[in-house]
Amino acid sequence: MAKITSRSPLAPESFPDLPVIKGVRFSSVAAGVRYAGRTDVMLAHLAPGSTVAGVFTRSATRSAPVLDCQAKIGTHTDDGAAIIVNSGNSNAFTGRNGVDATRAVTSAVAQTMNLPEGRVFSSSTGVIGEPLPHGRITAKIAELVAGLDETGIGAAAQAIMTTDTFPKGAMASVDLPGGTVRIAGMAKGSGMIAPDMATMLVYLFTDAAIPAGDLQALVSGINDRTFNCITVDSDTSTSDTLLMGATGASGVAVTAQDTAFADALHGVMLDLAHQVVRDGEGATKFVTVNVTGAVTDADARTHALSIANSPLVKTALAGEDPNWGRIVMAVGKSGAAADRDALSIRFGDILVAENGWVSPEYKEDLGAAHMKQPEITLNVDIGLGNGAATIWTCDLTHGYIAINADYRS
C-alpha cells in the first residue's frame, strides 16, 4: 500500500474534540494485519438497548464483511452490540476464505464480549483479493475488550485509515424538548470514492433513544444527500459501509420526524463526506458542482456527476485552467437532456458562457483567478426546467497516479 508522506492541503487544522457518547466505548490496537507496528484494528461496544442501522455498497463484488452486515442489520434485540474494523486488507474477492475469516472475527468478538453473533458487525478495508490473516485480529480481541474506553474514538478513527492523510471526525449537540442529545462520527476514505452508497467506512453514534426503523429511515435518507453526493475518482468500492448506533443513554426519545435531530445528523454526515473529498488522493482543490435548470433532479444529478467525474474537467482544475469547454463537453456526453443554446456556466459568480457561446462580459483572467483558489465552485444551468443537484469532488493530480500505481507495494 502506498506510503502517504504528507497531509492533504485541504485537511482541517486538527481532529475535532468529539464528545463522549454515553453507552459507547472504543479501543484500538496494532495487529499487524498488513504492516507491523501500525494501529490497524478498532473495536466499538454499544450498550444493551442500542439500535443499529446501516447502508452499504451496491457493488456486485462486495466483500464478505459487507454481506455479513447486510444480513444482520435488519434484526434487533435488546442485547449490546459491537463493531470491529480492520484496515490493510479488505477481505474482498477472497472466496470461501472471506466468509470464514469474517465469521472467525465476529465469533471471537461475540464470545469474548458475551454478545449474540448477530449483534457483531465487522468491516475490512484495504487491498482486494488477498486472504485476511484473521488470526492476527482474533489474537487481539481480549486486548481490545480490556482497553475499551468511552474517550477512545480519536484513536479508533486513526486505526481505520488506509491511504487517508488525516483521521476524519465530526460532531453535533442538539437541544430537544426532552433534553440534549449528542452525535459523534468518524470516517475513512480517500480513493476509490464514487457515490453508489459512496465509497468509504463511516461510523456514527448518538445517545438519543431512536427506534430501529426510525434510525434506518434517517440514515438512509440523509446518506442520499451526503455520502451519495461525493466522488473522487468515479470508482465504487467493494467495502462501503455506514453504520450508526443509537444508545438511548440520554433518555431523550427521537423519531424520524424530529427535524432538529435530522438537521444535526445531516450536518455531521455532510461534514464527514466533505472531509473524504478533501482527502481525495492527491487532491489540491475542493470542488462544488451545482447544476440547476435540468428537466428533473435526476437529470441534474446525471449532469453533475458527468462533470465531477470527467478526467478532462478534473485535470483542468488541477492545472488551474479555466477551460469551460470541458464542462460543455461533460454536459453534452452525460446522456441527460441538454440544449447547447440554453446552457450557462459560471465559475463561482463569474458568468463564463451563455446562449451557446462565451459570454461577451467574460475575462479569462477572472476565470483563472477563481481556479487558483483551493475551493472552486462550478455553477451550471441547463436552462430546461427546475431540476437541481449538487455533487462534491476534487481535482485529479499526479499524486493520485503515484499513490495508486504502487498501492500494493
Side-chain angles (χ1 to χ4, degrees), residues 10 12 21 48-49 63 67 71 73 145 153 194 206 286 309 311 336 339 391 395:
L10 304 171
I21 304 297
S63 69
L67 292 169
I73 203 67
V145 173
I153 191 170
T206 182
F286 178 83
N309 284 327
D339 182 333
I391 296 292
D395 55 344

Side-chain angles (χ1 to χ4, degrees), residues 50-217:
S50 299
T51 54
V52 182
V55 288
F56 307 93
T57 180
R58 290 189 288 260
S59 168
T61 55
R62 53 196 181 275
S63 69
V66 169
L67 292 169
D68 186 59
C69 280
Q70 285 182 298
K72 294 173 176 176
I73 203 67
T75 61
H76 175 68
T77 72
D78 287 331
D79 296 288
I83 300 169
I84 185 162
V85 185
N86 75 268
S87 60
N89 183 307
S90 72
N91 195 17
F93 204 68
T94 48
R96 182 68 200 178
N97 177 272
V99 177
D100 292 343
T102 300
R103 177 60 60 84
V105 171
T106 58
S107 295
V109 172
Q111 182 175 358
T112 305
M113 302 188 77
N114 194 27
L115 292 171
E117 191 175 338
R119 291 283 278 175
V120 179
F121 304 91
S122 71
S123 303
S124 298
T125 180
V127 172
I128 294 171
E130 296 183 6
L132 177 69
H134 56 83
R136 300 177 188 177
I137 300 172
T138 56
K140 294 287 186 176
I141 300 299
E143 182 180 344
L144 283 163
V145 173
L148 287 166
D149 186 280
E150 63 183 9
T151 65
I153 191 170
Q158 290 271 0
I160 65 176
M161 299 196 313
T162 51
T163 60
D164 304 60
T165 70
F166 62 90
K168 300 162 183 67
M171 56 81 64
S173 181
V174 194
D175 293 325
L176 298 174
T180 300
V181 299
R182 293 171 176 83
I183 305 167
M186 58 178 161
K188 66 81 53 182
S190 186
M192 204 185 290
I193 305 290
D196 194 6
M197 183 249 152
T199 309
M200 71 275 120
L201 301 180
V202 183
Y203 305 99
L204 302 160
F205 306 94
T206 182
D207 56 6
I210 311 176
D214 288 75
L215 185 63
Q216 186 63 57

